[in-house]
């Protein structure tokens, strides 16, 4: 397998193509770090977008939800979808409004969903999702009826692009002489210490992965 995704008519980054990236390892890293994905599609001629959690296993990404979810059902029925994830690394404070920007890493995926129907496979995907979001967390096994009541959709990573801005300040040349502050403000996900559920059984301590969560 090639180490890069093949750019297509749809995934070719046109503006600032130097920021486009099709490297599998780079794309995987962005998907794995993102906590939220947006899934877009067209239903009855109207645009729809759904924020959701996502997990990658090898060259597939998975989303899940209730079969009663209208939007998920439309995607499950084969509507072409587009998935996006963004990590904002820094706010860029420029010397003009047009010089203000963000450093980011984002991924766009195009494709159609395949439904996962096998209960053991659904369980494996839900386990992977839990470990992706809360590494080290232990949960009970899912019940058959819980698995049956969950729609799990797989999107193979085929038509994929990443775009990365890692440029900091880019102002128009004459603006560098202005007496104005400019710079970058780094951003990240900051977690507070985990707080136990009020209904925890006595004697259960908060584990280290919840006290010192890092992403
Ligand atoms: C946090 C953030 C802020 C941004 N702010 C602005 C802004 O203010 N103004 C602005 O014009 N642009 C902004 N962008 C960039 C924007 O996402 C597009 O890349 C850009 O507007 C259009 O690029 P294009 O002409 O190549 O897009 P198109 O020609 O519309 O896209 C062609 C293909 O390139 C790929 N592609 C394009 N953009 C991205 C991306 N960001 N990530 C992954 N794949 C991509 C997709 O596969 C897409 O189908 C921002 C991006 C991020 C993540």
């Amino acid at each position: 397998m090639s180490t890069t995704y093949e750019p297509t008519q749809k995934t070719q980054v046109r503006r600032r193509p130097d920021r486009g990236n099709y490297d599998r390892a780079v794309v995987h890293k962005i998907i794995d770090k993102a906590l939220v994905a947006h899934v877009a599609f067209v239903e009855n001629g109207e645009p729809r977008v759904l924020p959701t959690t996502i997990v990658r296993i090898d060259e597939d990404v998975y989303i899940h939800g209730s079969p009663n979810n209208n939007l998920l059902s439309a995607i499950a029925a084969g509507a072409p979808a587009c998935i996006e994830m963004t990590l904002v690394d820094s706010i860029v404070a420029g010397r003009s409004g047009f010089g203000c920007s963000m450093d980011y890493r984002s991924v766009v995926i195009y494709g159609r969903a395949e439904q996962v129907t096998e209960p053991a496979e659904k369980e494996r995907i839900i386990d992977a999702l839990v470990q992706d979001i809360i590494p080290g967390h232990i949960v009970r096994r899912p019940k058959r009826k819980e698995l049956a009541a969950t729609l799990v959709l797989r999107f193979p990573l085929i038509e994929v692009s990443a775009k990365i801005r890692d440029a900091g300040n880019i102002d128009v040349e004459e603006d560098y002489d202005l007496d104005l502050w400019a710079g970058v403000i780094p951003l990240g996900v900051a977690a507070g210490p985990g707080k136990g559920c009020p209904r925890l059984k006595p004697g259960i301590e908060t584990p280290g992965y919840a006290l010192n969560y890092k992403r």
Side-chain angles (χ1 to χ4, degrees):
M1 183 187 281
S2 154
T3 57
T4 56
Y5 297 103
E6 189 65 36
T8 65
Q9 274 278 82
K10 229 166 17 185
T11 61
Q12 181 59 56
V13 173
R14 280 165 242 280
R15 223 177 118 240
R16 297 301 308 243
D18 53 309
R19 293 182 184 167
N21 196 310
Y22 301 89
D23 188 274
R24 286 180 196 268
V26 169
V27 166
H28 291 177
K29 202 167 165 189
I30 297 169
I31 297 174
D32 295 351
K33 198 164 180 202
L35 274 173
V36 178
H38 293 94
V39 183
F41 63 103
V42 175
E43 191 189 31
N44 300 328
E46 298 241 357
R48 301 270 185 260
V49 68
L50 186 75
T52 189
T53 51
I54 196 162
V55 64
R56 178 187 67 84
I57 302 176
D58 301 325
E59 286 297 329
D60 296 301
V61 291
Y62 298 87
I63 62 173
H64 75 288
S66 161
N68 298 329
N69 177 327
N70 249 353
L71 307 187
L72 269 190
S73 304
I75 300 172
C82 177
I83 304 176
E84 172 275 338
M85 280 143 284
T86 297
L87 308 170
V88 179
D89 294 321
S90 300
I91 293 172
V92 178
R95 292 169 177 81
S96 71
F98 296 106
C100 292
S101 187
M102 289 179 186
D103 277 346
Y104 60 80
R105 288 166 286 160
S106 52
V107 163
V108 170
I109 302 164
Y110 294 100
R112 287 175 198 266
E114 298 161 7
Q115 254 195 77
V116 177
T117 51
E118 176 61 34
E121 179 64 355
K122 284 187 182 179
E123 184 170 345
R124 183 177 83 96
I125 293 157
I126 300 297
D127 279 345
L129 180 65
V130 171
Q131 292 310 311
D132 180 52
I133 298 175
I134 325 164
H137 191 51
I138 299 166
V139 293
R140 68 156 168 79
R141 291 296 87 215
K143 298 173 182 163
R144 282 196 84 80
K145 65 173 184 200
E146 290 174 326
L147 290 171
T150 305
L151 191 61
V152 178
L153 302 179
R154 173 196 299 118
F155 291 88
L157 292 174
I158 298 167
E159 265 200 301
V160 184
S161 61
K163 192 169 175 181
I164 299 174
R165 187 190 194 276
D166 182 19
N169 290 96
I170 306 177
D171 283 310
V172 290
E173 199 46 47
E174 60 268 30
D175 285 357
Y176 288 96
D177 270 343
L178 295 171
D179 296 324
L180 295 171
W181 183 81
V184 296
I185 304 162
L187 292 184
V189 175
K195 296 179 196 161
C197 167
R199 294 183 60 181
L200 264 190
K201 283 178 72 178
I204 300 181
E205 300 289 330
T206 304
Y209 64 78
L211 286 172
N212 305 300
Y213 184 88
K214 285 198 177 60
R215 194 155 182 93

